[in-house]
Amino acid sequence: MTTSGLEADNPNPIYDRALLADMLAEAAELEHSLCCQYLFAAFSMKRSTSEGLSPGQVQKMQRWQSLLMEVARQEMEHLGYVINLQIAIGSSPHLRRPDFPLDPQYYETGVESKLEKFSQATMQRFVLFELPEEGTMTDQMLSRLKAVVDYDPTKHKTIGQLYDAIRDLIKKLAQDDRMGADLFVGPRGAQFKIGDSAQARQIHLSSESGNTAYNIHLDGVTDLESALSAIEQIVEEGEGAHGDRDDSHFGKFLEILEELDEECRADPKFEPARDVIDNPRSNVPGRGNAQKSGTLITDATTNEVSRSFDQAYSTLMMLLARFFGATDQPDEDSLALEFAAFFPFMTMVIRPLSEVLTTLPAFKDQPAGKRAGPSFRYERRIGILGERESAFDTIADNMATLLAGLKHSETLVTDEAAKKRLAFIIENVWRIHANFKTATGAKDLGK
C-alpha cells in the first residue's frame, strides 16, 4: 500500500502522474477484494431454525447479513468512484485483482485477504480492514475495539492511508502550474453517475438532489473539487472514517462483532454459518492446477455448479469492463449493459448461485462434510472489449455458455432445494440473455 509522505516515497516528481494511476489501480483492487470477502461471509450464513438456530438467533442473523450486504454494496459504490477517478485522469478502469488468499503484506494492511465463512475471526478481520485512522478514535471507541480485537497500531495500516496519499497527490498535481490544467483530461460525459442511471430515470431521481439509486450515491469526477469530494465520501463511509461514526463500515462491523461475541458467550454451541471451505476454487482443465491457490472442490456435481459460478462472474466482469471502459459508446449501449449487470445479474444470478454453492458438498465422497462456496474467480482474459459488435457478441456468447452450463448442472444436482433454485437462476439468465441480444443486436457466436 502506497502511503502518505509522498516527498520521501517519491522524490522524483517526474513520475507523479504514473504513481497516481498506480495508486488508483491499487484502490480499485482493494475495493473489489473487500466487496467479495464481505459477500462471501454473508452468503455463508445460516438462515432458519432448520439449521439449528433459535428464532431469536434467526432474527439476529438476518440483521447481521443485511448490514454485511449494505456494506458490500457501498464497496461497489467506492469501486465506482475509483473508476470515475481513473477515467477523469485519462486512465482505464481497473477491474482485475489477484485470486484469494492474499498475504497480509500484499496491500500492507497487516490483514489477510481471504474468502472465509462468517465467524468471530472473520468479523475481526473485517473490523481491522475498516479501521479509522490512528488518533481519530475516542477513548470509548478504542476501548470497545480492544475488547474484541487484537489491535496493534504498529502492525495494522488503515486503507484510509492509501486514500490520504491519493488525495495529497491529486492536490499536488492539480495545483502544479505545469500540470494542473492537464490532470483531469478524461471525457466528462463518460463517467457513471447515479443520476444518469436507468433506475434513476425510471423513478425520476437526480444525483444533484442528493438522492440515490441502487441504494448508492455516485457522482462524476471532473475537477479538483469533485475528486476530493469522492475521496472524502469513500473515507467517511468506511475506510479510515473519522471519529465515532456508528454508521461507518467500521462502526457497523464492530457492532456485529460485539453482538456475535455476546451470543457465543450465551450459547457456546452457536454456529452462525454453514461449514463452508475457505477460498474455494473449481477444478478446471489446464496446466498449473496444483500450484493455484485456494481449496479445490472435488465433488464432481458441485464442481460443475462452481464452474457455472466462475462463468457467471466472468460474464459480469465483462459487462462491467465494457460499461465503464467504453467511454464513447451511446446511451443506448450503456443502458443495455446496465440493465444486464447491475440489478438482475448481481442479485438474480450471482447471489442465488453463491447461496446454492454453500449448501452443496465440497469434497468427493463426503456428502455430509464441508460445504462449497463462491470462488469469485474469473478468467485471465477479462478486460475491456474493444470494437462494439465483437464485444457484444462475445458477452452474449458468454451468457449462452453460462445458460448451457447451468442447465447441465441442474441435471446433476439431486438436492431438491438446490435444483429448484438452479431452475430459478436458469430462467433469470435466459431472460437477461434474451433482453441483452434484443437491446444490442448481439448474437451468440457459432450459433
Side-chain angles (χ1 to χ4, degrees), residues 330-357:
D331 285 348
E332 293 77 11
D333 286 353
S334 294
L335 289 175
L337 292 161
E338 181 187 340
F339 274 127
F342 281 18
F343 213 47
F345 217 96
M346 290 181 181
T347 60
M348 300 178 72
V349 179
I350 297 297
R351 178 172 182 172
L353 195 50
S354 297
E355 292 172 346
V356 166
L357 280 165

Side-chain angles (χ1 to χ4, degrees), residues 172-190:
K172 177 183 176 184
L173 288 169
Q175 294 166 0
D176 190 315
D177 291 338
R178 298 166 300 161
M179 301 186 65
D182 297 327
L183 178 58
F184 300 102
V185 297
R188 295 191 170 214

